């Protein structure tokens, strides 16, 4: 990826053309029955990226408002508890469903029958993961370096995991059919509802419990709203479908779980080596730095994935090139602005001043991590989820010793370790994708 100067008009034209190329997937690639099922208004999918941008902005806005409300009401050590509880909740969300809902996006057989098996997998794995966390919560929070106060939040945040996993089956069917509006709206509405409740409860002194209550309401709401945009998918079981779903879903889920461990490994290291107060400072900076990642990299990847799955040969190479240029054009200025405005964190109070230099360094990490997410999405779309897992595993194995080496120097050094390792893995992933595209091995 090269960085060059363009005028405002040139940049705007380029981004319009690239966005249109990335998102305007040919609906003729869908089976005729599914193509007929698309609402006429949603068959032109040039607005796919806009829908996912709305999705990401709404979710991140709600999360940021809740985070700022908690930061203003809690001391840094309590925010560290929130960070660890959220980490466990995110891990359970990834395990729930075992990646089966994502496999539906590129399913080549009877997708309606496969969806019923996916719902069964979602409910069973979600319930098993939730039960495991409830039983092991005391030992788990102790291993993560948190005190007994974290047990309640950890248990509360995973309560609705099976419901959310079941809802994702319905919502991913909408993404497969390029019905981006119906894919996004239930998630957005549920997120905003949960965030509003959490902020209201924070103002009434609920503390961390406000986050738990908001999460529970959000989990129930997303399932009910998913049923409003698509009839409920009844549980079922077909052995061939289950094997096919897991063949793609397990590596997909594994790659994302490794990504979660990799991006949160620093939380565990900071908690153990530097303490809860340092973790509070670091977690605030990291959550703010995640904004470009979520609003750019995740948005583009979500919109591009079903498109890339339908592209082959020279058409795939052109789309990947366009996606790479657009990702870089959007991430660079946003990450630069983040570094410039890092000192505004002190508006939350002088206790948060140590987070300012951390955020400045993590702005560079946001750029590298965002580009890496897009690159690994390309590998998934090319039918190589196993290689994406290996990339995440390499990232994790490189990051752990680097963090252990640099963490004693403080949280700024931890942020620098993230930047160095993410940049190294990004270069390797880019080289691999370039090699595959050059060889024409796109499937």
């Amino acid at each position: 990826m090269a960085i060059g100067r363009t005028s405002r008009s040139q940049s705007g034209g380029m981004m319009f053309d690239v966005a249109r190329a990335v998102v305007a997937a040919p609906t003729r690639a869908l089976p005729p029955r599914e193509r007929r099922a698309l609402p006429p208004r949603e068959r032109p999918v040039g607005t796919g990226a806009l829908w996912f941008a709305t999705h990401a902005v709404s979710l991140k806005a709600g999360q940021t408002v809740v985070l700022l409300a908690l930061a203003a009401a809690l001391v840094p050590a309590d925010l560290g508890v929130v960070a660890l509880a959220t980490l466990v909740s995110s891990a359970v969300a990834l395990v729930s469903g075992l990646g089966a809902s994502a496999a539906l996006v590129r399913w080549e057989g009877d997708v309606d029958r496969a969806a019923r098996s996916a719902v069964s997998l979602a409910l069973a794995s979600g319930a098993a993961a939730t039960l495991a966390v409830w039983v092991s919560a005391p030992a788990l929070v102790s291993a993560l370096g948190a005190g007994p106060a974290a047990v309640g939040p950890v248990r509360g945040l995973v309560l609705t995991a099976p419901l959310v996993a079941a809802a994702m089956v319905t919502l991913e069917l909408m993404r497969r059919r390029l019905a981006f509006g119906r894919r996004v709206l239930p998630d957005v509405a549920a997120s905003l509802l949960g965030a509003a409740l959490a902020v209201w409860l924070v103002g009434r002194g609920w503390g961390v419990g406000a986050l738990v209550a908001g999460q529970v309401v959000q989990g129930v709401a997303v399932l009910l709203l998913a049923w409003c945009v698509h009839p409920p998918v009844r549980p079922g079981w077909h052995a061939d479908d289950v094997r096919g779903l897991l063949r793609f879903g397990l590596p997909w889920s594994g790659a994302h779980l490794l990504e979660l461990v990799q991006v949160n490994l620093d939380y565990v290291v900071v908690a153990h080596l530097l303490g809860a107060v340092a973790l509070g400072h670091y977690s605030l900076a990291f959550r703010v730095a995640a904004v470009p990642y979520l609003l750019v990299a995740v948005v583009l990847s979500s919109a591009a994935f079903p498109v890339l799955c339908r592209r082959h040969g020279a058409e795939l190479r052109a789309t990947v090139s366009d996606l790479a240029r657009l990702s870089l054009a959007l991430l660079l200025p946003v990450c630069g602005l983040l570094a410039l405005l890092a000192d505004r964190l002190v508006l939350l109070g002088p206790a948060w001043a140590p987070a300012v230099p951390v955020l400045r360094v993590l702005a560079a990490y946001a750029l590298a991590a965002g580009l890496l997410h897009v690159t690994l999405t390309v590998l998934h779309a090319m039918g190589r989820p196993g290689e994406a897992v290996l990339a995440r595993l390499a990232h994790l194995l490189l990051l752990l010793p680097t963090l252990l080496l640099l963490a004693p120097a403080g949280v700024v050094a931890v942020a620098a370790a993230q930047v160095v390792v993410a940049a190294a893995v990004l270069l390797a992933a880019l080289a691999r994708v370039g090699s595959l595209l050059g060889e024409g091995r796109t499937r």
Side-chain angles (χ1 to χ4, degrees):
M1 298 180 185
I3 301 174
R5 292 184 178 178
T6 59
S7 68
R8 180 174 298 182
S9 61
Q10 289 171 323
S11 176
M14 178 195 73
M15 289 175 66
F16 175 80
D17 291 338
V18 170
R20 183 175 56 190
V22 169
V23 182
T27 57
R28 62 181 178 274
L30 290 169
R33 179 164 56 86
E34 290 190 53
R35 186 165 67 246
R36 288 194 301 269
L38 293 178
R41 189 175 295 179
E42 290 184 339
R43 286 180 183 169
V45 293
T47 56
L50 180 60
W51 275 114
F52 277 106
T54 302
H55 178 256
V57 169
S58 301
L59 264 61
K60 191 58 186 177
Q63 293 168 359
T64 301
V65 170
V66 173
L67 173 65
L68 295 178
L70 288 171
L74 304 176
V75 297
D78 288 338
L79 200 63
V81 170
V82 171
L84 292 177
T86 304
L87 166 61
V88 175
S89 172
S90 299
V92 170
L94 282 175
V95 172
S96 301
L98 305 175
S101 60
L104 294 174
V105 177
R106 63 192 311 275
W107 191 258
E108 295 180 357
D110 184 344
V111 71
D112 293 324
R113 190 184 69 184
R116 296 183 61 190
S117 295
V119 167
S120 298
L121 286 171
L123 293 173
S125 58
T130 300
L131 179 61
V133 168
W134 267 72
V135 171
S136 64
L140 185 60
V141 299
S142 177
L144 291 173
V151 173
V154 165
R155 285 174 169 167
L157 289 180
V158 301
L159 274 174
T160 57
L163 304 184
V164 174
M168 285 305 301
V169 173
T170 298
L171 297 181
E172 288 297 84
L173 284 175
M174 296 299 94
R175 183 156 73 119
R176 170 190 173 86
R177 293 163 184 167
L178 307 179
F180 294 116
R182 289 188 289 160
R183 164 62 182 87
V184 164
L185 289 177
D187 231 355
V188 169
S191 174
L192 294 179
L193 178 62
L197 176 63
V199 171
W200 184 75
L201 292 175
V202 166
R204 278 148 184 80
W206 278 49
V208 179
L211 180 65
V212 174
Q215 184 92 339
V216 170
V217 169
Q218 179 181 341
V220 174
V222 73
L223 179 62
L224 296 178
L225 292 172
W227 289 347
C228 291
V229 300
H230 185 280
V233 179
R234 292 180 293 118
W237 193 267
H238 192 282
D240 290 339
D241 290 344
V242 171
R243 284 192 291 270
L245 291 169
L246 294 180
R247 191 177 302 118
F248 178 89
L250 284 178
W252 182 95
S253 185
H256 286 77
L257 188 59
L258 283 173
E259 178 185 12
L260 178 70
V261 173
Q262 166 252 305
V263 299
N264 289 281
L265 182 62
D266 47 357
Y267 279 17
V268 179
V269 171
V270 170
H272 275 283
L273 298 183
L274 301 177
V277 174
L279 177 60
H281 293 141
Y282 183 86
S283 66
L284 177 64
F286 192 93
R287 286 168 180 267
V288 174
V291 171
Y293 175 86
L294 294 172
L295 298 190
V296 177
V298 174
V299 167
L300 290 178
S301 298
S302 296
F305 179 67
V307 179
L308 292 167
C309 288
R310 293 173 171 84
R311 299 287 170 91
H312 303 269
E315 191 179 32
L316 175 62
R317 286 191 290 273
T319 303
V320 170
S321 178
D322 290 340
L323 177 62
R325 288 198 299 269
L326 180 59
S327 301
L328 191 61
L330 293 177
L331 281 168
L332 268 176
V334 176
C335 293
L337 186 63
L338 196 65
L340 288 174
L341 299 179
D343 57 352
R344 303 300 175 90
L345 286 180
V346 297
L347 295 177
L348 295 172
W352 298 104
V356 172
V358 181
L359 179 55
R360 290 199 173 109
V361 177
L362 286 177
Y365 169 72
L367 174 62
L371 294 175
L372 179 60
H373 182 81
V374 173
T375 305
L376 296 186
T377 297
V378 173
L379 277 176
H380 279 293
M382 294 169 69
R384 295 179 177 270
E387 295 192 21
V389 172
L390 291 177
R392 291 298 182 192
L393 182 60
H395 196 157
L396 180 62
L397 294 177
L398 286 172
L399 185 61
L400 179 58
T402 308
L403 286 175
L404 293 175
L405 178 66
L406 297 180
V411 287
V412 176
V414 171
Q418 288 275 32
V419 175
V420 171
V421 175
V425 178
L426 171 63
L427 291 176
L430 287 172
R432 179 55 178 160
V433 169
S435 173
L436 290 172
L437 291 174
E439 297 171 5
R441 294 162 63 186
T442 60
R443 286 289 187 277

